[in-house]
Amino acid sequence: MIVASTVFSLNRVASAQDVPRYIYLGDHEGMPVLFDTESQSGTTCKIYIGNGKKMTEITLQASCNESRLFIINYALYGVDNNRLKLVSQDTKVEEVEFNPKTILGAPMVAVCKKIGASGW
């Protein structure tokens, strides 16, 4: 729970558009999942999953025009002296099924709308 507390408290300040930095997407196996709204760069964004004393960071790449979604980076962090420390990382690109009602699909909808992609 230390990691979840760290992630939740990282930044709750609203941006100029009054959008919180982290948006709670739901739970994955009982752990909170957060969408980092400030991590968006083009069609790339990050989500975080708290997992006890570990945290998973998943970097997603959306292909809005094709409604395709890819995981392009998967990093696992642990807590060492109350600081996050990279434990492992995988940069193998993996396509995941896009479903706007899932934890991975919801950020894609937000990203595609934000960039003004056609049909979103």
Side-chain angles (χ1 to χ4, degrees):
M1 285 302 164
I2 293 172
V3 173
S5 297
T6 302
V7 171
F8 278 114
S9 65
L10 284 175
N11 187 348
R12 290 185 177 227
V13 177
S15 70
Q17 297 177 358
D18 201 28
V19 175
R21 170 145 187 198
Y22 297 100
I23 297 174
Y24 174 74
L25 297 175
D27 288 344
H28 175 72
E29 298 178 3
M31 298 297 158
V33 180
L34 303 172
F35 168 43
D36 181 356
T37 62
E38 290 185 12
S39 70
Q40 183 181 351
S41 176
T43 58
T44 302
C45 67
K46 294 181 181 183
I47 65 169
Y48 297 96
I49 303 171
N51 186 7
K53 292 189 175 191
K54 295 183 179 164
M55 179 184 70
T56 303
E57 175 188 81
I58 301 173
T59 306
L60 301 169
Q61 175 74 50
S63 177
C64 300
N65 294 335
E66 300 173 323
S67 294
R68 295 175 71 191
L69 182 61
F70 302 88
I71 295 175
I72 60 171
N73 188 42
Y74 178 89
L76 178 64
Y77 293 88
V79 176
D80 185 22
N81 293 327
N82 287 331
R83 292 184 177 221
L84 292 177
K85 180 180 179 183
L86 182 63
V87 174
S88 66
Q89 187 171 17
D90 185 356
T91 57
K92 178 183 79 175
V93 175
E94 175 187 350
E95 184 169 4
V96 293
E97 180 180 343
F98 168 65
N99 179 338
K101 296 180 181 180
T102 65
I103 288 171
L104 295 178
M108 179 175 169
V109 173
V111 165
C112 292
K113 284 182 178 180
K114 186 173 180 180
I115 66 165
S118 179
W120 294 85

